């Protein structure tokens, strides 16, 4: 079966077609699993080379489909996907290689173990629109490298990016049945979850993630869920404030603020607050908003008008409750409540209603929507705090726990904060970039998800680990087998003394009993207790 049954690879898929794709994936997976890790690695390397050759074409497609700035499409979706392909091709063969190993513990000295890593079977990957090439690639590549087949459902808002990923992987040599791209909305995603897949990897909202977790639990299959976030950035008084301001401005407003792992609440120690606000305001007001196809554009429109309306509603709620706008950048050709006069050139890609000014809010309180909800757009509240203790308490006062960042020159204080923050990842003097590190495990806590992606943990998520245990002395009875009695118990006592007594002399006194236990092999002797 081909990657899609439609001439248009981005055309919607029916539920019956999902079922057919699942049957084809199941049939193709067995022979794919028999393919050597070396051959699967060669295919991933070919994918890397093809993607590199077509890198600008892919970035242009992503920009046209999502509206994001071309530099965001190229610098994240394309370049990070190249990193992910290269790392997976390098790491997967080593991860999948089986070796005999010693078993720890005196009782099992004669044993050895071999860890066999088997593919799970067919993995369903349901990916979002905000990074429509990189995020599915980072899930699909390790799944394929470990011998699984994949049903990939891209977001209905960015179907062509998902179709392009499938096209490039098939061009690299992934068999058509092994990777299939099924297109459609949440109904198609639900069909994938219930199609008989052996695991689901989902990136999206906490609400949908809970539904997927429940559906997976009914079938007793695993799921890896990367859900929403309301990441905290803590700026301490000793931080390099210009560095912090520039870094937070980029990590919050790149991709029009549509990044799960990004600062969405900033807590600034009182001694640095005024200076930080000044530096952040200067950085934000200089952001060039416009048509994402223009290479000079730094922030394009949001994905669609409804997403933009939600962010505007969060901003208006904050303003109605007493917050103030202290920095924005103008949206070309579009007057806005927060921006005042518009810039000179309107956006001409039909996404004017999705343009939202990058906006910094102050005088925010914890009852405002922008502090309670995930804000998935270019809106950033900044709050003054007395000290690190208050910053951590308020950072943790959220149902989310995807990541956090601490901006300081004092790494001891940063490490203290990292130990106390309720987050899947903590970064020092940077944010967001952890999601682009293919070798580093990535995931959230609390309502931000379950399971890990990327790194060796991401490979582990794509396999069943089978321990194979061997006994190197066939014919020698195990000392703990039946023949219970006084002598048997004395031998066990001697073993416990030799293995666990607190002093060396006490341990050595158990040695004769150990020797007796090893030599006592009379199969016919039975003692009454």
């Amino acid at each position: 079966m081909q990657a899609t049954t439609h001439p248009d690879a981005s055309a919607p898929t029916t539920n019956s077609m999902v079922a057919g794709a699942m049957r084809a994936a199941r049939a193709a997976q067995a022979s794919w699993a028999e393919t050597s890790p070396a051959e699967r690695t060669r295919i991933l390397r070919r994918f890397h080379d093809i993607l590199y050759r077509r890198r600008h074409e892919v970035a242009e497609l992503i920009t046209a489909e999502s509206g994001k700035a071309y530099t965001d499409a190229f610098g994240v979706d394309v370049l990070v996907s190249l990193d992910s392909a290269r790392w997976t091709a390098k790491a997967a063969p080593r991860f999948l290689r089986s070796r005999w190993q010693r078993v720890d513990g005196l009782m099992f000295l004669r044993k050895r173990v071999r860890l066999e890593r088997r593919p799970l079977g067919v993995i369903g990957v349901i990916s979002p629109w905000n990074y429509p090439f990189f995020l599915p690639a980072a899930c699909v590549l390790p799944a394929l490298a470990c011998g699984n087949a994949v049903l990939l459902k891209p977001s209905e808002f960015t179907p062509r990016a998902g179709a392009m990923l499938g096209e490039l992987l098939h061009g690299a040599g992934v068999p058509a049945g092994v990777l299939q791209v099924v297109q459609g909305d949440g109904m198609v995603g639900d069909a994938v979850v219930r199609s008989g897949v052996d695991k689901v990897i989902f990136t999206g909202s906490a609400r949908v993630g809970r539904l997927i977790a429940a559906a997976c639990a009914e079938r007793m299959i695993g799921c890896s869920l990367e859900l929403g976030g309301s990441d905290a950035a803590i700026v301490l008084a000793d931080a390099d404030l210009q560095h912090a301001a520039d870094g937070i401005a980029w990590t919050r407003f790149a991709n029009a603020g549509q990044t799960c792992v990004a600062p969405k609440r900033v807590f600034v120690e009182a001694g640095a607050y005024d200076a930080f606000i000044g530096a952040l305001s200067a950085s934000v007001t200089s952001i060039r908003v416009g048509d994402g196809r223009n290479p000079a554009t730094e922030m394009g429109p949001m994905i669609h008008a409804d997403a933009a309306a939600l962010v505007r509603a969060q901003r208006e709620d904050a303003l109605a409750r007493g917050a103030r706008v202290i920095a924005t950048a103008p949206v070309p050709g579009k007057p806005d409540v927060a921006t005042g006069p518009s810039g000179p050139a309107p956006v001409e890609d039909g996404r004017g209603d999705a343009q939202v000014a990058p906006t910094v809010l102050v005088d925010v309180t914890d009852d405002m929507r922008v502090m309670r909800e995930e804000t998935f757009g270019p809106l950033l509240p900044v709050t003054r705090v007395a000290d690190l203790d208050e910053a951590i308490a308020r950072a943790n006062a959220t149902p989310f726990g995807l990541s956090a960042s601490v901006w300081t020159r004092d790494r001891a204080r940063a490490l203290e904060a990292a130990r106390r923050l309720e987050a899947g990842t903590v970064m020092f003097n940077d944010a967001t970039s952890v999601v682009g590190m293919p070798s580093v495990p990535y995931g959230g806590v609390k309502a931000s998800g379950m399971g890990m992606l990327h790194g060796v943990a991401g490979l582990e998520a794509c396999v069943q680990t089978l321990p194979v245990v061997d006994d190197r002395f066939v014919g020698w009875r195990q000392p703990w087998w039946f023949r219970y009695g006084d002598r048997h118990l004395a031998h066990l006592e001697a073993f416990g003394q030799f293995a666990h007594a607190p002093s060396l002399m006490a341990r050595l006194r158990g040695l004769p009993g150990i020797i007796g236990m090893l030599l006592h092999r009379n199969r016919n002797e039975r003692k009454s207790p």
Side-chain angles (χ1 to χ4, degrees):
M1 181 173 179
Q2 296 302 312
T4 176
T5 56
H6 294 274
D8 176 3
S10 64
T13 306
T14 65
N15 285 4
S16 64
M17 292 163 65
V18 172
M22 179 62 204
R23 289 191 296 272
R26 184 69 72 194
Q29 188 271 327
S31 59
W32 178 247
E34 292 299 318
T35 303
S36 69
E39 175 57 26
R40 298 197 295 264
T41 293
R42 281 192 288 273
I43 290 173
L44 292 190
R45 291 198 174 107
R46 284 200 293 269
F47 165 76
H48 171 277
D49 295 344
I50 293 170
L51 175 57
Y52 180 75
R53 288 197 301 271
R54 299 179 65 178
R55 61 195 182 278
H56 296 297
E57 175 190 350
V58 173
E60 288 165 3
L61 182 150
I62 293 167
T63 293
E65 188 169 48
S66 69
K68 67 169 66 186
Y70 179 84
T71 300
D72 287 339
F74 183 76
V76 179
D77 274 285
V78 174
L79 294 187
V80 176
S81 294
L82 288 167
D83 277 346
S84 185
R86 175 175 287 168
W87 183 85
T88 304
K90 176 183 176 182
R94 183 170 61 248
F95 168 76
L96 295 170
R97 190 177 302 126
S98 298
R99 301 183 184 89
W100 288 109
Q101 306 171 40
R102 290 182 53 196
V103 176
D104 189 49
L106 181 62
M107 180 174 282
F108 303 112
L109 195 61
R110 59 191 273 185
K111 305 290 188 184
R112 61 178 184 167
V113 65
R114 182 182 178 94
L115 300 181
E116 300 284 348
R117 292 187 168 96
R118 298 173 170 178
L120 294 172
V122 181
I123 295 179
V125 175
I126 302 174
S127 62
W129 46 260
N130 56 328
Y131 292 97
F133 195 91
F134 152 61
L135 288 179
C139 300
V140 169
L141 294 175
L144 293 175
C146 291
N148 300 282
V150 175
L151 295 186
L152 168 63
K153 193 206 86 67
S155 168
E156 62 271 33
F157 298 111
T158 52
R160 288 185 292 157
M164 175 63 82
L165 176 61
E167 175 191 331
L168 299 189
L169 282 165
H170 290 135
V174 176
V178 169
L179 170 64
Q180 300 188 67
V181 181
V182 295
Q183 302 282 7
D185 59 12
M187 297 298 291
V188 175
D190 183 67
V192 169
V193 172
R194 300 179 188 280
S195 66
V197 294
D198 300 294
K199 182 167 186 169
V200 176
I201 301 176
F202 171 75
T203 305
S205 72
R207 180 186 66 82
V208 176
R210 289 188 180 95
L211 296 175
I212 289 174
C216 291
E218 289 178 5
R219 294 188 48 237
M220 296 295 288
I221 63 171
C223 57
S224 294
L225 307 174
E226 195 266 84
L227 308 177
S230 187
D231 294 3
I234 296 175
V235 181
L236 299 181
D238 72 315
D240 181 325
L241 298 182
Q242 187 62 58
H243 177 84
D246 290 344
I248 290 172
W250 183 82
T251 52
R252 168 69 285 204
F253 297 113
N255 203 38
Q258 301 168 121
T259 302
C260 297
V261 183
K264 296 171 185 175
R265 299 170 298 144
V266 182
F267 301 98
V268 186
E269 207 167 19
Y273 181 82
D274 291 337
F276 175 77
I277 287 293
L280 180 65
S281 297
S283 187
V284 171
T285 55
S286 67
I287 294 174
R288 294 191 295 273
V289 181
D291 189 328
R293 295 169 297 183
N294 183 339
T297 293
E298 294 175 324
M299 197 188 93
M302 295 185 65
I303 186 67
H304 51 63
D306 289 346
L310 176 58
V311 172
R312 292 191 187 101
Q314 290 174 320
R315 183 188 64 194
E316 295 309 313
D317 170 79
L319 296 176
R321 294 172 183 269
R324 293 184 297 116
V325 173
I326 55 98
T328 76
V331 175
K334 182 176 174 55
D336 190 276
V337 171
T339 64
S342 63
V347 175
E348 298 176 353
D349 67 350
R351 297 177 181 270
D353 289 342
Q355 286 280 6
V356 177
T359 302
V360 179
L361 298 173
V362 295
D363 299 339
V364 293
T365 55
D366 291 340
D367 63 333
M368 296 175 182
R369 290 179 60 186
V370 74
M371 296 293 282
R372 292 185 290 107
E373 302 172 355
E374 179 180 25
T375 303
F376 213 64
L379 186 61
L380 181 63
V382 182
T383 303
R384 185 198 310 258
V385 294
D387 52 27
L388 179 59
D389 288 339
E390 182 186 353
I392 291 172
R394 296 183 69 177
N396 289 341
T398 174
F400 298 105
L402 194 52
S403 74
S405 59
V406 183
W407 304 76
T408 177
R409 290 184 173 92
D410 187 338
R411 281 180 171 76
R413 292 186 78 196
L415 284 168
E416 176 196 351
R419 295 185 186 105
R420 296 166 59 190
L421 284 164
E422 296 168 357
T425 302
V426 179
M427 298 192 69
F428 300 161
N429 299 307
D430 194 8
T432 301
S433 60
V434 64
V435 75
M437 302 174 184
S439 63
V440 178
Y442 162 69
V445 299
K446 301 197 290 189
S448 288
M450 56 190 292
M452 302 295 284
L453 303 174
H454 305 182
V456 173
L459 294 170
E460 289 278 10
C462 296
V463 298
Q464 174 198 357
T465 299
L466 174 71
V468 178
V469 181
D470 177 42
D471 192 298
R472 287 178 285 189
F473 296 96
V474 179
W476 282 57
R477 288 175 56 85
Q478 302 288 356
W480 50 84
W481 287 358
F482 284 136
R483 289 199 189 160
Y484 290 178
D486 293 340
R487 180 176 294 184
H488 181 89
L489 192 58
H491 288 162
L492 290 179
E493 170 60 29
F495 172 82
Q497 183 176 357
F498 184 74
H500 300 291
S503 71
L504 176 61
M505 290 303 298
R507 291 180 184 180
L508 291 176
R509 283 195 293 270
L511 185 57
I514 291 286
I515 295 172
M517 180 173 66
L518 294 175
L519 297 179
H520 182 57
R521 300 171 58 221
N522 184 346
R523 296 177 182 271
N524 298 317
E525 181 181 354
R526 293 273 182 180
K527 294 274 188 182
S528 299

